[in-house]
Amino acid sequence: MRRNDRQVLDPEKIEHIIRACHCCRLGFCDNGAVYIVPLSFGYEKVGEKRTFYFHGASEGRKIDLIKTGNPVGFELDTGYELHTAREACGYTAKFQSVIGTGYPSLIEDPEERIHALKQIMFHLTGKTDWTFAEEFLNDMSVFKLEVTELSCKEHE
C-alpha cells in the first residue's frame, strides 16, 4: 500500500468496515479481458479465515470463470463523502475500502449452501432465522470466495 498512513490494521475495524459495505465487486480475468461483477454478499470470519458468500444464476460468464479455479480480485467500499476546496487539486474524499484476492468456488453441499445463504441474508437484514424453499435452492448457484490476501484503507 502506497499510503501507509491510511492503512487500517486493526482487525475489529476491518470487520466493521466490511460489514458496513453493501456491494462486493469481483474482478475476473477472462482470456486477457477484465470482467467485473458487483454482487450482494454475505461474510464470515472464522479464526483468521475470511469467506465471502454470493448467489446468482446457475449459468453464464461468471459461473464459467468461477469454474476455472483462477484467483479473483475483490473490492468493497463505504462512507464516501466528497470534501470540496477552492482549488481543483484541493478536493479530496472521505472513504473506507477493502481490496484483496481470493479463490472462488461453487458450493454444492446442501447444508453449506444454506449456511452461505443465511450469511448473505444476515449481512443484508441482520436476521438469522431464514428458511429456503427447495426449488429456490435448486434454481441458483451459490458460491464462496476464500480470501488469501486483504488490505484495508481509510481516509477521513
Side-chain angles (χ1 to χ4, degrees):
M1 181 176 298
R2 186 181 65 82
R3 293 290 307 259
N4 289 334
D5 60 317
R6 295 183 181 168
Q7 185 174 19
V8 176
L9 296 172
D10 176 26
E12 286 184 31
K13 187 157 194 175
I14 293 169
E15 294 301 300
H16 175 76
I17 291 169
I18 290 171
R19 296 197 186 282
C21 293
H22 300 289
C23 177
C24 181
R25 293 162 190 85
L26 297 183
F28 296 88
C29 182
D30 185 8
N31 293 319
V34 176
Y35 179 61
I36 299 173
V37 182
L39 298 161
S40 297
F41 68 95
Y43 171 76
E44 181 174 53
K45 183 178 181 204
V46 177
E48 294 303 309
K49 183 179 177 183
R50 291 182 165 99
T51 305
F52 289 91
Y53 296 102
F54 311 93
H55 71 86
S58 295
E59 298 178 343
R61 186 177 184 185
K62 174 179 63 205
I63 299 302
D64 293 342
L65 292 169
I66 289 168
K67 289 178 180 178
T68 68
N70 292 328
V72 301
F74 67 91
E75 186 275 345
L76 307 98
D77 59 82
T78 189
Y80 180 84
E81 183 180 309
L82 183 65
H83 292 278
T84 60
R86 295 187 82 135
E87 301 292 324
C89 292
Y91 272 65
T92 188
K94 173 184 169 183
F95 66 89
Q96 296 172 315
S97 65
V98 176
I99 63 170
T101 307
Y103 286 89
S105 60
L106 294 171
I107 300 173
E108 302 297 339
D109 177 72
E111 287 183 26
E112 188 179 1
R113 289 168 60 87
I114 290 170
H115 175 78
L117 292 170
K118 285 184 176 184
Q119 294 303 312
I120 294 167
M121 293 306 298
F122 176 73
H123 186 79
L124 295 171
T125 70
K127 297 178 185 178
T128 58
D129 58 342
W130 297 100
T131 59
F132 304 94
E134 186 79 25
E135 63 272 6
F136 178 73
L137 290 170
N138 294 332
D139 286 343
M140 73 160 98
S141 65
V142 180
F143 63 101
K144 63 185 173 184
L145 173 67
E146 295 177 291
V147 176
T148 56
E149 189 176 326
L150 179 140
S151 65
C152 185
K153 189 174 179 179
E154 176 179 53
H155 185 229
E156 296 286 332

